[in-house]
Amino acid sequence: MKQIAIILLGVGGVGRALLRQIVRGRDIFAHRNQCQFNLVALTDSQGWVWQPTGFTDGQLGEMIAHKEAGGHFPGLRPPIQEMLQMAQDAGLRDLILVDVTAEAGLEPALNRALELGYTAVLANKKPFAGPWQTAQSYLHNPRVRHESTVGGGQPVIATLRYLRDTGDPVHHISGQMSGTLGFLCQQIESGRPFADALAEAKSKGYTEPDPREDLGGRDVLRKLLILGRLAGWPLEEADFTVESLYPAEMAALSVPEFMAAAATLNATFAQRMQAAAATGHTLRFVGEVTPQGGFVGLKPVPQNSPQANLKYISFQTDHYQSPPLMIAGQGAGVAMTAAGVLGDMIGLAREVYGSVETRD
Ligand SMILES: NC(=O)c1ccc[n+]([C@@H]2O[C@H](COP(=O)([O-])OP(=O)(O)OC[C@H]3O[C@@H](n4cnc5c(N)ncnc54)[C@H](OP(=O)(O)O)[C@@H]3O)[C@@H](O)[C@H]2O)c1
């Protein structure tokens, strides 16, 4: 049975869901692919655990529970490059570095993993949304997979690659790509004050730890940069107009201060929503990108339309002019995002590490 070592960066919502799916699907995956994922290292913001022979499913279960209860890993976390070297020294040849953090600056670790002949799967968008010069080497590397960075596990990136591979040029990409902002807009539409809806979204873990990451449009901008670049357009952040849902003077507040001040925005959102309703529309936070650049912000869409009710991404191409090709569904959660990561890991197992699908 082929063993593929896994170094898992981040054991938050997505990381824990991924560990559960690996453990739960272990027998089926081994049976179908003659291959096993062997978790050798897990890291969080403060520490790590390392066992070159791999943790047992029982140990993984205990770690999931420990992290769920707000615990941290005990070991002093070395730089990721050092972890990779330890794996190399331990004779681990087939290894996937899995990044399900939201950290910036992990590019040197990613580069080192690739230099050592390893592969990587990321739900973390940041390495793909930085300057084009750096991002392009990951976007077009078959040893780096990142389906979950856009669409939370829906096959968005696979579809875009298919369109390009089959020679159907993409002209325009748009969508409602933020479950968090979709939730907020729907709540405001139903008459709820913005600050109340935001507090609920934060308490339920829908937002990033600092909700301004969502409200400022940066998360959607990153997704559009990834899609636009994969469509063949070497865009930079400066090519986008981004509407932030909070004013610049609120940027310097701490997170608790910002949450307390959010009520000052209630009237503005209520008025904008009422103005849209007067013409049979509602507001949704959408993103659009073309070869020339893009837009991220609030836009009126017809009330009760699919665009108002679903998270979706649409591709307008030569073959799909009107209507465009759409991928739509309910807002993604951690389980779907983790499934996208697992799907990428299985793709690498088959296509890079030579595991074979042998049975039903
Ligand atoms: N949640 C979703 O539905 C969704 C959908 C699509 C994409 N994503 C992306 O998936 C990623 C993870 O999301 P999440 O919801 O799981 O976030 P999360 O719950 O905040 O978890 C992040 C994890 O990363 C760990 N971490 C932070 N800094 C680290 C570092 N320097 N080294 C190693 N680990 C570090 C955190 O450690 P602690 O446990 O110590 O805090 C935590 O375990 C993000 O990039 C997010 O944008 C999420």
Side-chain angles (χ1 to χ4, degrees), residues 228-302:
R229 288 169 169 182
L230 286 172
W233 314 322
L235 298 167
E236 298 286 1
E237 272 193 37
D239 298 314
F240 287 77
T241 307
V242 181
E243 178 192 4
S244 171
L245 297 188
Y246 65 90
E249 58 269 23
M250 290 175 84
L253 302 178
S254 67
V255 174
E257 286 167 348
F258 175 78
M259 293 303 290
T264 59
L265 304 175
N266 288 351
T268 311
F269 282 113
Q271 281 155 13
R272 287 183 72 176
M273 193 58 89
Q274 280 158 13
T279 61
H281 290 81
T282 183
L283 293 178
R284 289 295 179 265
F285 199 83
V286 300
E288 295 177 359
V289 61
T290 69
Q292 286 72 45
F295 163 82
V296 177
L298 281 179
K299 237 184 137 169
V301 301

Side-chain angles (χ1 to χ4, degrees), residues 10-14 43-45 67 72 77 100-103 123-125 148 208 333-334 337:
V11 191
V14 176
T43 76
D44 62 20
S45 63
K67 289 300 300 173
H72 287 100
R77 181 163 54 85
V100 288
T101 72
E103 289 303 289
N124 182 359
K125 300 167 211 52
S148 289
E208 296 288 325
V334 291
T337 305

Side-chain angles (χ1 to χ4, degrees), residues 68-118:
E68 200 110 83
H72 287 100
F73 292 132
L76 188 63
R77 181 163 54 85
I80 300 162
Q81 288 91 318
E82 233 169 82
M83 297 178 197
L84 292 162
Q85 193 56 53
M86 288 166 74
Q88 185 84 357
D89 295 344
L92 299 172
R93 295 283 164 264
D94 297 338
L95 182 145
I96 307 177
L97 179 68
V98 178
D99 176 4
V100 288
T101 72
E103 289 303 289
L106 297 188
E107 288 85 349
L110 189 49
N111 294 343
R112 184 66 187 138
L114 296 172
E115 273 166 24
L116 289 170
Y118 294 151

